């Protein structure tokens, strides 16, 4: 068998910006929509959860609270780009459904190691729980999908013995990356600096599965085969280990348009996250 046919071209499969040439306009639109939402939303901006200048979250509050959890939104950018200010409007749909949403920032590679970013998001979730006394439903896009799954699979007693077991009872990963090993063969890894051992250590697919908790893995229908494989494999592996898993494809969506529905309270994606948060 021709091995060149059997091995995916990981560079092509994971280079979303090359796959979607119109991405600069989409990202610029995010920035504009996020800024516009901050002017009208009931929000507190730039709340610190750690020592780093990016270790901040913005909390967007509903007029009337209807759920029994808080939603934490984690942005993407392959752990090396963007920041929380591009994604304020991702809270709009959930706010309309009565849910508070924390849009969380974090330090980026190569200034910090990827494992440090995982730790930062654990600190962010713990800070939200300490402040609001509510469980945290983690959702995120791309690298944020990875970090959401990590939050779900975290042993919270190892973070702080005073934290509850089910601090994060559910996660909703959008176009997430759950096995980081393929990235070691791509240009994305220049900033990440992962060897195979570190890639496995920071991959939630290889962590003890968070049995009895809930993991949704959602991916755009127009995304690469590798992105579909990433979500399907997590759902299959964790599902066999007692996690309540669910896989879904958003028809026609690419890696950048897939999150657009979160601005709309009537979108099925928004409604599913709201249901996970008890609204």
């Amino acid at each position: 068998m021709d091995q060149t046919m059997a091995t995916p071209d990981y560079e092509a499969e994971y280079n979303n910006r090359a796959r979607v040439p119109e991405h600069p306009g989409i990202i610029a639109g995010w920035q504009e929509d996020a800024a516009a939402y901050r002017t009208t939303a009931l929000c507190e901006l730039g709340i610190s959860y750690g020592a780093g200048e990016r270790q901040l979250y913005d909390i967007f509050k509903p007029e009337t609270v209807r759920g029994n959890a808080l939603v934490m939104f984690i942005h993407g950018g392959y752990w090396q780009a963007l920041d929380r200010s591009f994604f304020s409007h991702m809270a709009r749909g959930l706010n309309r459904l009565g849910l508070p949403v924390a849009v969380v920032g974090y330090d980026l590679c190569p200034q910090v190691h990827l494992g440090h970013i995982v730790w930062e998001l654990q600190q962010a979730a713990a800070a939200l729980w300490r402040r609001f006394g509510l469980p945290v439903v983690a959702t995120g896009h791309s690298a944020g999908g990875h970090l959401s799954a990590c939050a779900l699979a975290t042993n919270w007693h190892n973070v702080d013995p005073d934290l509850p077991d089910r601090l994060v009872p559910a996660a909703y990963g959008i176009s997430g990356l759950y096995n980081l090993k393929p990235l070691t063969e791509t240009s994305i890894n220049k900033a990440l600096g992962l060897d195979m051992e570190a890639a496995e250590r920071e991959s939630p697919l290889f962590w003890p599965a968070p049995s009895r908790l809930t993991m949704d893995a959602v991916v755009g229908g127009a995304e690469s085969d590798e992105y579909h494989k990433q979500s399907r494999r997590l759902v299959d592996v964790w599902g066999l280990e007692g996690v309540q898993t669910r896989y879904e494809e958003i028809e026609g969506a690419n890696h950048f348009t897939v999150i657009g529905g979160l601005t709309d309270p009537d979108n099925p994606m928004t409604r599913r996250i709201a249901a996970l948060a008890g609204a």
Side-chain angles (χ1 to χ4, degrees), residues 145-183:
H146 160 267
L147 294 165
S148 297
C150 289
L152 185 72
T154 292
N155 181 330
W156 291 101
H157 291 295
N158 290 343
V159 177
D160 181 338
D162 294 332
L163 294 172
D165 287 339
R166 295 165 64 95
L167 195 156
V168 177
Y172 189 93
I174 306 165
S175 307
L177 299 126
Y178 310 109
N179 172 13
L180 305 187
K181 289 180 180 180
L183 298 184

Side-chain angles (χ1 to χ4, degrees), residues 209-255:
S211 57
R212 299 188 301 281
L213 304 183
T214 302
M215 179 76 212
D216 282 21
V218 177
V219 67
E223 297 200 62
S224 72
D225 290 344
E226 277 293 302
Y227 267 87
H228 288 203
K229 191 187 296 181
Q230 286 271 357
S231 289
R232 276 205 200 96
R233 187 160 179 221
L234 185 76
V235 162
D236 290 347
V237 171
W238 276 10
L240 289 171
E241 296 183 40
V243 183
Q244 297 172 46
T245 58
R246 178 168 160 170
Y247 172 82
E248 188 178 357
E249 292 179 19
I250 308 301
E251 187 178 352
N254 66 41
H255 190 74

